[in-house]
Amino acid sequence: MSRSGQVDIGWNGGGDDATPVVRRRLAAILVADVAGYSRLMGRDEAGTLATLKGHLKELIEPRVRRHDGRIVKTAGDGLLVEFASAVEATACAVGIQTEMAHRNADTPEDHRLEYRIGVHLGDVILDDGDVFGDGVNVAARLEALACPNGIYLSADVYRQVRGKLDIAFEDLGEQEIKNLPEPIRIYRVLPVAGRAAAPEASRAAPSPASGPLVAVLPFENLSAD
């Protein structure tokens, strides 16, 4: 094993039958994309692309560097970032959403670029600078569940960051995730006053333990009787 903690690649066997050993390491993976990106591009392709590039250059890239992350790749509105620390990955996500809320403050709601972010801590496979495996897949599923401005964490990330960052969480319970053999527990990062606005509704179902929510309102008789 190398000093970085990753499993070094070697060669299994010799001669023509030699096969490379897969390189793996534990990493915090952040996946993000823009909610409603296709709709925004359909409305104003050039303007949306220019705004997206501005956010990437002025906000996201500096934030990632500040938290010692590495942008593995971008694809359209999507973003895959690797961190050595779950705390740094989550802090970066919170910083991005906080600044995005400020940037969107004076923008009409139907013109805003709003990110959804998922963060997971897991084993990843390294291949020519790219990363693959369940660590990436789970982060991508969390991002797909998140609402605009939302940050969803896996339980593995939550255990690492609780008590270490000035943020609160909502336990969404165990959720069945597409193409994953077992349900995973999901936590939503709750916005703090002055930070990113709370999403109107969560895409992930609430924890079964929480039960239905009931609103009790005063009754006023407006009829003649």
Side-chain angles (χ1 to χ4, degrees), residues 1-9 23-26 126:
M1 182 177 288
S2 69
R3 290 186 178 182
S4 65
Q6 71 185 37
V7 178
D8 291 329
I9 191 168
R23 298 173 60 206
R24 296 179 180 270
R25 68 175 172 222
L26 188 67
L126 308 174

Side-chain angles (χ1 to χ4, degrees), residues 28-33 35 59 63 67 83 86-101 114-121 138-155 157-158 161 165-173 184-192 195-204:
I29 299 297
L30 181 155
V31 175
D33 81 349
L59 167 59
R63 278 280 175 185
H67 294 281
F83 297 84
V87 174
E88 294 294 345
T90 305
C92 182
V94 172
I96 289 171
Q97 296 293 47
T98 301
E99 179 59 28
M100 282 300 301
E114 297 175 316
Y115 281 97
R116 304 176 299 183
I117 298 178
V119 185
H120 177 58
L121 178 67
V138 173
R141 297 302 179 190
L142 292 174
E143 174 271 313
L145 289 172
C147 291
N149 303 319
I151 303 170
Y152 278 17
L153 311 178
S154 67
V157 174
Y158 170 74
V161 304
L165 296 173
D166 183 22
I167 54 177
F169 309 88
E170 177 187 4
D171 184 352
L172 299 178
I184 64 170
R185 198 166 200 91
I186 299 174
Y187 293 83
R188 179 169 74 94
V189 175
L190 293 176
V192 178
R195 292 184 180 168
E200 294 181 359
S202 170
R203 290 189 180 186

